[in-house]
Amino acid sequence: MSRAMQCQGCLPWRRWARLPWCLPGTRGTRSVSVCAAAVPAGGAGRSFLRRILGTSSISLPRGCVRYQGDSQENSAQPSSSHHAQSQLRKVAFSGAIKKHQKSLSAWFSHQPNEERQFGPSFSLDAVHVDPVIRESSLEEILKPSPGLTIQNQLQQPSRKVISLHSLFDVDACGRQVKNVVLYGTVGTGKSTLIKKMVVDWCHGRLPRFQLVIPFSCEDLSHSHAHVSLRRLVTKKYQHLRDVVPVLEASNLSVLFILNGLERLNLDFRLAGTELCCDPNEPVPPSAIVVNLLRKYLLPEASIIVTTRPSAVRRIPGKYVGRYAEICGFSDTNLQKLYFQMRLSQPGCSGEESQERRSAEQENLVEMLSRNLERHNQITAACFLPSYCWLVCTTLHFLYFTRTVPPSQTLTGIYTSFLRLNFSGEVLDSSDPTHISMMKYVAKTVGKLAYEGVMSRKTCFSEEDLRQCFEVEMKTESELNLLEVFRSDVFRFFLSPCVQPGKEHTFVFTIPAMQEYLAALYVVLGEKKTLVQRVGKELSEVLGKVSEDVAVVVNIISKVLPLRFLPVLFNLLKIFPRYFSRVGGKDRDTIAHTMAEELFKEEDYYNDDVLDQINSSILGVEGPMRHPDEAPDDEVFELFPIFMGGILSRRNRAILEQLGCSIKNLAAFEIAKAMKKTVIRKGRRGLPPSELMDYLFFLHEFQNERFTAEAVLSLRAVNLSSVKMTPLKCSVLASVMSTTSHEVEELNLTSCNLDSGSLRTLFPVLLRCKALHLQLNSLGSDACKEIRDLLLHDKCAVSSLRLANNPVGEQGARFLAEALAGNRSLTQLSLLHTSLGDPGAEAIAEHLAHNQHLQELNLGYNSLTDAAALRVVEVAKRHETLDKVHLYFNDISEDGKRALDSLRMDRDGVRALVFLTAGTDVSDYWSHILNVVQRNLPFWDRERVRQHLALLLQDLESSRSQTANPWRKAKFLRVESEASRETRCPS
């Protein structure tokens, strides 16, 4: 191990992960120039670059002119002929390079699939903010870093900020820089920056270089055959075949881009890599890279190398003209600019009206900016451009998702985010194990995350880190892997806590990432006891040995009388079978953990998980918490949801690419075990927010058979007071669509529904018998959707409650049309829906065509005598309607007397208007007062008091007219209840 690594290994944990950037407010960030790229930085575009620079060959039809001729003939030509040939060659080169530029631009302007999948696709020219680049040195890289605290970051002297286009300017000594090493930890923006650099050159914004040739070091690492530089270039870029042969003698200004140098094992010793100055000589690809950097091959060419910090030392310092470190968005102004550009793009909010879309986008940007200004933990997270991408993608998922195809899940976003940053990455290419970076993270950081979830902890001390990372270090190889991890990856997942008094602790950069990694740790089966780990290894060894030995013994036993030996060795086979059964218990444990965490009673009355994620990004509006105030208990309700999401087929396929394999059999056995735990506990009555979490879990799990069985047990769905965003409506519709059974009751009271929500939920609403839509601000547009619902031939709605919605006259007309053609509705509540007389007249007009309605509530709608009597007259002739609610309307004494004269046995209908019925108390007095009590917070209190005062006068008048003491006692009791309602505080 190098001396530098030995010194670094002695550092405390807080010094391992020095942030390479300055915090907001430090010097050196004002001169950062911002140009207009949006994909995650760091390794975010690495897999995409590999596809461009590696396995894909870029070629166009050869349309350039090629000069051919004999050298002797050339020497005989006059000087004018030489000039013409030179011009012809320049034209040929120019044509080939233009084709090269066009082809590169087309490739490098493409965005990864994840960019198009989780939101509108943006070009690098449209949405790009350059990260901060600071000039560095080898001494700066090798020296021990200060502690990873906010205070130490503020005390660091600012290094020189340098722009991307100035990397090849002369150095401090006036020497021309030819080789540049651009390094940064995972997620800081290396690959995206290189893509932007190539696109800039293609569009003429990098005039320093006449030719740019990008290579993927990952692709070069997979090539073991000897190849010449000429062949290597023309194999990837066939239209440069006329340029490469004369590259050295053409005086072209050439830039080679070597992306991801950490994937190559370079040996700069002469004994390890021979000298090569001939572009036509076949040598190993690593030898080409070494000789290019030595300036022994094409010495006039410029080279830019991107790499992670751990691999910087693979290039001797004498071959490097400038070190530059990508520091991400170390200024909150850059973060704000990125969010402003990304969230304000046309098409970001889907198919919404332009005015509404712009207002919602501006509101999101404003809330996010305010949260960044508070210097919350999200500010530290957004130092990494990759996390800025994750924030924007999550907000797009939360706010602008109108339908949720199987590919769009929250777990899918996080899994794809990790693929963008870690796809194809091994932790250390020089390590013989070649363990994938993500597998290492799952085993180490996942363990830390899981222990934090189990202990309800989000802040971790240095001792916590040592327990998870160092306690099992046994070999030199393991220690080297740990050194690479803390140098390249640690800061991607963990950052210093910004809370006062906790500066020396660490938190996960994004809180939800802790729950994701904890879920991955459990599902991968890494949570094993020592006995389980030893048992598994012993089982595999005995399983292989016993099979081979048993075959040999069976052959020998046929010749020699050793009949007992096969029996002995068959016993060895019992252990692997026994262990496989014991291993099956692990699946039960995973399912049990999932159920216990999903239905924790202490979390029953928290916000649902989607609202929690929204608050973690946008913050919570209101006064800030006092530093001395006790914090709320930590909540980890995403943990079980991520466990289910990781088991989905699509996410397992992505994790397989990351080196984290979850077998189909294991997923099947876990799902089978979950039926005994999750579905059984899901049948219990859950509070609305917990029920929403359960439905979201089923959506994330993406197992249609399992979801159908779970939904069949939900006969009543109560989501009252859950803010039903378009995403939640889509999730509810998606989950409920797995079955076709009738739902006894769907309660969506006070859920912020609108006409769009009703359209999304239309298939679900059709199957509901009792439908509660009170307190949702549903106007005439929504009533039009309800009309279509009630007129559908498969409508099963028998009870519809629309109380406290601004239905209005036009909405009433739509509902009246629905009443005329509906065959299922028996109860309709339009209490306090601003109908007025015209709305009531419209309903009365169509009511005669209805044959099934039994109860109609038109209370508190400002109806006068004429409208009320008109409704009652129609009701008297109705075959099934026997109850009409008309209380709290503007009905006079004459109207009251007319309605009081109705008799059920004579007129076939009962009108509920007052608390009295002649000289007796109405049988429905308690019902009327209960309606008042439930709705008082949403009604005009002064007007309600006026109505209650009229009811009290009516009670006193009726009590004075009766001599029956029993009736007088009943009147007094009702008067007492009504008086209490009038005294309720406003």
Side-chain angles (χ1 to χ4, degrees):
M1 184 185 303
S2 68
R3 183 178 179 184
M5 292 188 68
Q6 290 175 355
C7 293
Q8 194 177 11
C10 301
L11 295 175
W13 264 96
R14 68 171 178 267
R15 297 191 177 188
W16 285 14
R18 175 172 57 92
L19 288 172
W21 43 68
C22 293
L23 289 182
T26 61
R27 295 174 296 168
T29 59
R30 295 183 180 178
S31 62
V32 178
S33 62
V34 179
C35 63
V39 267
R46 190 171 289 111
S47 61
F48 179 70
L49 279 177
R50 174 171 54 83
R51 293 197 295 271
I52 295 174
L53 307 180
T55 58
S56 300
S57 172
I58 304 176
S59 63
L60 288 174
R62 295 178 58 196
C64 60
V65 180
R66 182 177 181 182
Y67 174 75
Q68 296 179 345
D70 186 83
S71 60
Q72 292 180 353
E73 295 176 354
N74 291 341
S75 62
Q77 298 294 328
S79 59
S80 61
S81 177
H82 283 291
H83 178 72
Q85 292 167 7
S86 176
Q87 293 298 321
L88 188 62
R89 184 180 294 111
K90 289 181 179 179
V91 171
F93 285 0
S94 176
I97 291 174
K98 285 182 178 179
K99 291 181 180 180
H100 181 60
Q101 287 177 324
K102 182 178 180 181
S103 185
L104 281 182
S105 177
W107 276 97
F108 279 79
S109 296
H110 287 168
Q111 299 288 17
N113 291 333
E114 288 78 7
E115 180 72 15
R116 298 189 296 271
Q117 178 182 341
F118 297 110
S121 180
F122 307 120
S123 68
L124 284 172
D125 286 336
V127 182
H128 179 81
V129 178
D130 276 340
V132 173
I133 304 174
R134 298 187 186 279
E135 191 165 3
S136 184
S137 64
L138 188 60
E139 293 75 16
E140 181 78 20
I141 298 169
L142 296 179
K143 74 178 183 180
S145 58
L148 179 58
T149 63
I150 298 299
Q151 286 79 5
N152 286 337
Q153 296 306 312
L154 292 173
Q155 294 168 4
Q156 282 189 5
S158 296
R159 290 171 289 162
K160 177 184 176 183
V161 175
I162 187 169
S163 69
L164 181 65
H165 294 177
S166 303
L167 290 175
F168 290 93
D169 290 350
V170 295
D171 61 12
C173 299
R175 292 172 297 193
Q176 183 63 48
V177 173
K178 287 292 185 179
N179 291 351
V180 173
V181 173
L182 187 64
Y183 70 95
T185 59
V186 175
T188 50
K190 300 184 295 296
S191 297
T192 304
L193 204 59
I194 290 302
K195 287 175 63 178
K196 184 61 169 56
M197 187 177 191
V198 173
V199 172
D200 281 351
W201 175 75
C202 293
H203 294 166
R205 294 191 289 267
L206 198 62
R208 181 192 297 268
F209 302 106
Q210 295 170 286
L211 179 62
V212 171
I213 304 177
F215 280 109
S216 165
C217 292
E218 180 180 359
D219 178 64
L220 295 178
S221 70
H222 294 316
S223 177
H224 303 291
H226 287 211
V227 64
S228 67
L229 175 61
R230 174 180 178 179
R231 174 61 182 154
L232 188 63
V233 173
T234 56
K235 182 180 178 181
K236 303 300 179 185
Y237 309 105
Q238 294 180 11
H239 38 270
L240 293 180
R241 66 180 64 182
D242 298 325
V243 179
V244 174
V246 292
L247 204 57
E248 191 170 8
S250 63
N251 293 324
L252 281 176
S253 177
V254 182
L255 172 65
F256 285 94
I257 296 176
L258 302 173
N259 186 56
L261 189 75
E262 66 275 359
R263 301 302 300 268
L264 283 176
N265 293 320
L266 303 181
D267 190 349
F268 281 82
R269 299 172 303 161
L270 288 176
T273 304
E274 63 181 5
L275 296 176
C276 174
C277 63
D278 185 1
N280 299 313
E281 181 182 349
V283 293
S286 60
I288 293 177
V289 173
V290 169
N291 281 289
L292 282 172
L293 291 168
R294 283 172 174 167
K295 293 304 170 191
Y296 202 73
L297 183 62
L298 297 183
E300 295 303 318
S302 299
I303 302 171
I304 184 168
V305 173
T306 68
T307 185
R308 302 199 304 258
S310 63
V312 170
R313 287 162 290 189
R314 295 184 186 180
I315 306 176
K318 62 182 179 181
Y319 299 126
V320 180
R322 174 171 282 128
Y323 292 94
E325 181 180 13
I326 303 180
C327 302
F329 295 154
S330 56
D331 185 350
T332 54
N333 290 326
L334 294 180
Q335 300 172 15
K336 290 180 183 179
L337 179 60
Y338 179 93
F339 293 131
Q340 176 77 33
M341 298 173 66
R342 184 64 188 264
L343 294 174
S344 300
Q345 284 292 308
C348 183
S349 57
E351 299 177 358
E352 291 288 332
S353 65
Q354 181 67 33
E355 184 178 350
R356 179 176 178 180
R357 178 182 64 197
S358 300
E360 191 164 15
Q361 289 172 333
E362 290 175 6
N363 185 50
L364 276 181
V365 172
E366 179 63 28
M367 293 179 67
L368 193 54
S369 296
R370 286 202 298 268
N371 202 24
L372 290 172
E373 289 168 0
R374 297 189 189 106
H375 300 290
N376 288 337
Q377 200 65 49
I378 189 175
T379 311
C382 290
F383 280 128
L384 295 173
S386 284
Y387 277 108
C388 292
W389 179 90
L390 181 61
V391 166
C392 288
T393 304
T394 305
L395 287 175
H396 184 275
F397 179 69
L398 292 175
Y399 281 89
F400 305 128
T401 301
R402 298 298 180 256
T403 58
V404 280
S407 60
Q408 289 199 7
T409 63
L410 186 65
T411 314
I413 289 176
Y414 275 76
T415 307
S416 297
F417 169 70
L418 293 174
R419 179 171 66 176
L420 284 168
N421 287 277
F422 297 100
S423 179
E425 291 285 329
V426 294
L427 185 60
D428 186 2
S429 60
S430 63
D431 186 79
T433 62
H434 283 87
I435 184 172
S436 75
M437 192 179 290
M438 197 62 229
K439 180 70 172 179
Y440 188 89
V441 167
K443 294 177 66 173
T444 54
V445 187
K447 179 182 178 183
L448 179 72
Y450 173 75
E451 291 182 356
V453 169
M454 290 296 100
S455 59
R456 317 284 281 189
K457 181 169 66 174
T458 57
C459 294
F460 302 93
S461 64
E462 294 180 26
E463 183 61 29
D464 295 329
L465 299 180
R466 271 193 288 269
Q467 287 295 321
C468 282
F469 290 91
E470 294 182 358
V471 72
E472 295 182 3
M473 292 290 104
K474 300 176 183 177
T475 65
E476 182 77 8
S477 175
E478 290 175 336
L479 184 58
N480 289 337
L481 288 175
L482 186 59
E483 294 292 340
V484 173
F485 167 78
R486 71 185 190 184
S487 171
D488 298 348
V489 191
F490 179 83
R491 285 167 285 187
F492 184 83
F493 292 103
L494 293 161
S495 59
C497 184
V498 300
Q499 295 181 21
K502 296 184 178 180
E503 292 85 355
H504 294 277
T505 62
F506 297 89
V507 296
F508 278 83
T509 309
I510 291 287
M513 188 60 74
Q514 177 180 354
E515 298 175 78
Y516 181 93
L517 293 177
L520 184 61
Y521 177 76
V522 174
V523 174
L524 285 176
E526 296 294 337
K527 188 178 75 70
K528 290 186 176 73
T529 63
L530 179 61
V531 174
Q532 288 174 323
R533 286 197 295 268
V534 172
K536 182 179 180 181
E537 295 174 2
L538 186 61
S539 171
E540 292 175 353
V541 172
L542 289 178
K544 294 176 181 178
V545 172
S546 62
E547 290 178 3
D548 297 336
V549 175
V551 172
V552 175
V553 172
N554 282 333
I555 295 173
I556 297 175
S557 64
K558 293 180 180 179
V559 181
L560 300 175
L562 302 174
R563 302 293 182 184
F564 66 92
L565 287 180
V567 177
L568 176 62
F569 284 101
N570 281 331
L571 289 175
L572 291 175
K573 296 181 181 181
I574 295 177
F575 183 82
R577 292 193 206 119
Y578 172 75
F579 184 80
S580 66
R581 293 181 181 178
V582 174
K585 297 295 183 182
D586 292 344
R587 320 285 192 238
D588 294 337
T589 302
I590 293 174
H592 179 73
T593 301
M594 202 179 301
E596 289 297 319
E597 294 297 321
L598 188 61
F599 300 108
K600 272 184 175 290
E601 292 189 5
E602 56 263 39
D603 297 335
Y604 266 15
Y605 298 99
N606 298 325
D607 292 337
D608 62 80
V609 292
L610 293 175
D611 284 348
Q612 292 175 28
I613 295 173
N614 183 68
S615 299
S616 70
I617 296 175
L618 299 180
V620 179
E621 296 297 320
M624 297 183 65
R625 184 190 300 274
H626 191 274
D628 297 333
E629 187 178 348
D632 296 331
D633 292 335
E634 300 294 346
V635 178
F636 297 97
E637 294 183 89
L638 268 176
F639 169 55
I641 293 175
F642 278 143
M643 288 178 68
I646 288 171
L647 288 170
S648 71
R649 183 182 297 275
R650 181 180 177 277
N651 286 318
R652 283 190 286 118
I654 296 176
L655 288 169
E656 181 77 31
Q657 300 172 18
L658 296 175
C660 301
S661 178
I662 303 171
K663 302 300 182 184
N664 288 333
L665 181 60
F668 173 78
E669 290 177 347
I670 293 173
K672 186 177 178 181
M674 285 166 57
K675 291 183 180 181
K676 305 173 185 177
T677 53
V678 174
I679 293 181
R680 185 182 70 248
K681 292 191 174 185
R683 292 192 181 103
R684 301 181 306 186
L686 297 172
S689 61
E690 284 298 302
L691 180 57
M692 187 67 241
D693 290 347
Y694 182 44
L695 295 172
F696 189 60
F697 165 81
L698 296 175
H699 167 71
E700 294 283 314
F701 191 34
Q702 293 291 303
N703 186 320
E704 190 169 341
R705 179 183 297 180
F706 181 92
T707 301
E709 190 169 339
V711 169
L712 279 172
S713 63
L714 298 177
R715 292 294 175 180
V717 179
N718 180 12
L719 296 174
S720 60
S721 300
V722 173
K723 185 179 180 180
M724 294 299 291
T725 62
L727 172 61
K728 294 177 190 176
C729 291
S730 298
V731 168
L732 176 59
S734 174
V735 170
M736 298 298 289
S737 67
T738 56
T739 68
S740 57
H741 76 289
E742 287 189 352
V743 181
E744 293 295 331
E745 182 180 3
L746 176 60
N747 191 343
L748 296 175
T749 300
S750 190
C751 289
N752 293 87
L753 300 180
D754 56 18
S755 57
S757 307
L758 297 181
R759 279 193 297 272
T760 303
L761 294 171
F762 192 91
V764 180
L765 303 181
L766 278 177
R767 296 153 39 199
C768 298
K769 291 184 177 180
L771 186 55
H772 301 264
L773 299 176
Q774 305 97 300
L775 293 163
N776 277 298
S777 301
L778 299 177
S780 58
D781 290 342
C783 289
K784 189 175 181 180
E785 300 295 330
I786 295 172
R787 178 199 63 184
D788 297 340
L789 171 73
L790 294 176
L791 291 177
H792 198 282
D793 56 355
K794 293 185 179 179
C795 178
V797 178
S798 61
S799 176
L800 175 61
R801 299 182 182 276
L802 288 169
N804 300 307
N805 283 297
V807 172
E809 178 184 347
Q810 184 58 46
R813 295 188 185 280
F814 288 133
L815 295 176
E817 294 176 23
L819 281 177
N822 178 267
R823 299 188 183 93
S824 62
L825 197 63
T826 59
Q827 294 179 321
L828 175 62
S829 174
L830 296 174
L831 176 70
H832 191 219
T833 51
S834 305
L835 298 182
D837 284 352
E841 290 284 353
I843 289 176
E845 181 181 349
H846 289 78
L847 193 57
H849 302 288
N850 180 279
Q851 299 178 358
H852 303 278
L853 194 65
Q854 298 176 8
E855 186 174 352
L856 177 63
N857 191 334
L858 300 178
Y860 201 172
N861 273 298
S862 304
L863 304 188
T864 61
D865 294 357
L869 291 172
R870 169 74 173 132
V871 171
V872 171
E873 286 297 324
V874 176
K876 288 167 63 175
R877 298 190 296 270
H878 198 281
E879 295 182 5
T880 59
L881 185 60
D882 62 4
K883 195 181 298 179
V884 179
H885 300 251
L886 293 170
Y887 38 81
F888 281 19
N889 281 303
D890 301 332
I891 300 175
S892 65
E893 285 296 323
D894 293 338
K896 175 184 177 298
R897 284 193 292 270
L899 294 173
D900 277 346
S901 64
L902 294 173
R903 294 289 182 269
M904 187 65 190
D905 54 354
R906 183 187 68 199
D907 302 306
V909 66
R910 177 178 289 108
L912 309 183
V913 185
F914 291 96
L915 301 178
T916 60
T919 58
D920 200 356
V921 174
S922 170
D923 294 337
Y924 299 95
W925 69 269
S926 60
H927 171 80
I928 296 174
L929 290 181
N930 283 336
V931 169
V932 173
Q933 186 176 20
R934 287 197 306 268
N935 292 280
L936 197 57
F938 319 109
W939 288 356
D940 183 347
R941 293 176 182 269
E942 187 58 35
R943 187 175 177 187
V944 170
R945 285 196 179 95
Q946 293 175 5
H947 280 287
L948 286 173
L950 292 175
L951 293 179
L952 283 171
Q953 292 178 9
D954 183 64
L955 283 170
E956 293 173 357
S957 175
S958 298
R959 175 165 55 85
S960 64
Q961 295 176 17
T962 181
N964 189 319
W966 173 246
R967 288 185 179 179
K968 285 183 178 291
K970 287 174 62 179
F971 275 115
L972 288 173
R973 179 191 172 190
V974 176
E975 287 177 31
S976 174
E977 293 289 337
S979 299
R980 187 170 60 185
E981 295 296 337
T982 61
R983 292 193 298 270
C984 285
S986 56

